[in-house]
Amino acid sequence: MVAVIEGLLSKDQVQTIAKRLFGAQFVDGSMSGGPLGETIKKNTQVSPQSPEYRELAQLVLGVLRQNDKVAITALPRRILSPIFASYVEGNRYGEHVDAALMGPYPGMRTDLSITIFLNEPGAYEGGELVLKTAFGEQVYKRPAGDAVLYPTHYVHRVNPVTRGRRLAIVTWMESMVRDPARREIIEDLAEVMDRLVRENADGESIRRVEKARLNLLRMWAET
C-alpha cells in the first residue's frame, strides 16, 4: 500500500530544483491546509505566481509521468500540480487527511499522495513523514530525490522540525483504478511478469500473466 521510490529525482534534478527554490517567493502554507490549516499547519510553500513555479512544476510532473514505478503502482489518470514546501525550526503539519477532491471545480479525486524529499536527512532534525496505517505508524525520512507514495485516505503528519530546514514536494494523483486493493493486484501481476521476463521464463507463462493483468485493468480502469 505504501511504495518507496528510490531516486525518483536524479541528483542533478534535485540540485536544479534547490537552486531555483533559493530565489523563489514562499508564502504561508496554511492556506492549502483545509479548514484546520491555520491550527495544524505551519510551513511555507512556493507561490504559484512565483516566476520559478511553472518551470519546477513542469519538471516534476514530467518525471512523475515517465517513471515506471509510479506508472505500475499508481496507474495515474491525472496528477495535480505540485506544492514545493519548506519547514524550518518550529514548523510542522499535524495529523490530517488530505482532501478527497482538489483543484478547480468539480475537482480531481485524490487516490494517492506522494512526498518527494529534496534534502538529505542530516540537513534537519525532526520533520519525519508519519503515516498511520493498519500496521501501525510508519515513519519516513528519506535521502534527497527519494519519494514515498501512499493512499491519500491515510491519516498522516509531518513531525516538528527542531533544527535546519526540510524541503519537500507534495502532490496528488487520481488513479485509473480507484480501489487500492485492485491496484495492488494489478501491481503484483506486473511485478510477477517483470520477474518472469528477467528469469527468461517460457513465453506462455509470461503471456498468461500479462493477459490476466490487462484484462483486470480493462475491467476496472476508468479513463
Side-chain angles (χ1 to χ4, degrees):
M1 300 292 284
V2 179
V4 173
I5 306 174
E6 297 181 355
L8 175 65
L9 294 177
S10 69
K11 291 183 179 180
D12 287 344
Q13 289 168 333
V14 169
Q15 289 177 358
T16 295
I17 293 171
K19 287 179 182 178
R20 298 293 284 158
L21 289 181
F22 183 78
Q25 176 191 1
F26 283 80
V27 297
D28 183 2
S30 65
M31 63 181 183
S32 63
L36 295 176
E38 292 186 2
T39 304
I40 66 171
K41 186 179 184 186
K42 186 176 182 182
N43 71 349
T44 57
Q45 59 194 51
V46 175
S47 167
Q49 282 72 49
S50 173
E52 295 83 4
Y53 180 82
R54 181 181 294 273
E55 174 192 344
L56 295 179
Q58 288 178 343
L59 187 160
V60 172
L61 289 173
V63 169
L64 291 172
R65 288 168 180 151
Q66 295 169 14
N67 184 268
D68 289 342
K69 181 64 175 176
V70 171
I72 291 170
T73 304
L75 298 167
R77 180 171 179 259
R78 290 190 285 178
I79 306 175
L80 207 64
S81 193
I83 288 175
F84 298 85
S86 171
Y87 292 77
V88 296
E89 184 175 340
N91 284 182
R92 65 183 182 90
Y93 197 168
E95 289 191 350
H96 65 285
V97 176
D98 294 333
L101 299 170
M102 294 187 187
Y105 182 85
M108 182 195 85
R109 188 185 71 244
T110 54
D111 297 314
L112 293 143
S113 306
I114 189 166
T115 296
I116 308 170
F117 296 85
L118 285 178
N119 50 359
E120 298 298 333
Y124 57 98
E125 292 179 0
E128 299 88 355
L129 171 66
V130 183
L131 309 178
K132 300 188 77 171
T133 76
F135 306 101
E137 289 192 345
Q138 306 294 315
V139 181
Y140 298 92
K141 190 174 183 180
R142 302 290 307 178
D146 283 9
V148 179
L149 179 66
Y150 54 97
T152 302
H153 65 263
Y154 280 177
V155 174
H156 58 285
R157 69 180 185 270
V158 176
N159 283 339
V161 171
T162 58
R163 179 189 64 82
R165 185 187 191 193
R166 174 190 191 264
L167 291 171
I169 303 167
V170 182
T171 192
W172 297 266
M173 302 177 192
E174 179 182 86
S175 178
M176 290 186 289
V177 178
R178 71 170 71 192
D179 186 312
R182 291 178 174 181
R183 283 199 306 271
E184 187 174 8
I185 292 170
I186 293 172
E187 179 186 4
D188 286 347
L189 289 171
E191 291 179 352
V192 169
M193 187 190 69
D194 181 64
R195 179 175 296 181
L196 291 173
V197 170
R198 286 188 281 107
E199 294 178 353
N200 296 313
D202 66 279
E204 180 60 20
S205 296
I206 295 172
R207 282 192 293 272
R208 290 179 72 86
V209 171
E210 181 68 345
K211 175 186 174 184
R213 186 186 74 87
L214 293 177
N215 283 339
L216 288 175
L217 187 58
R218 190 174 290 110
M219 289 170 59
W220 294 337
E222 304 169 13
T223 60

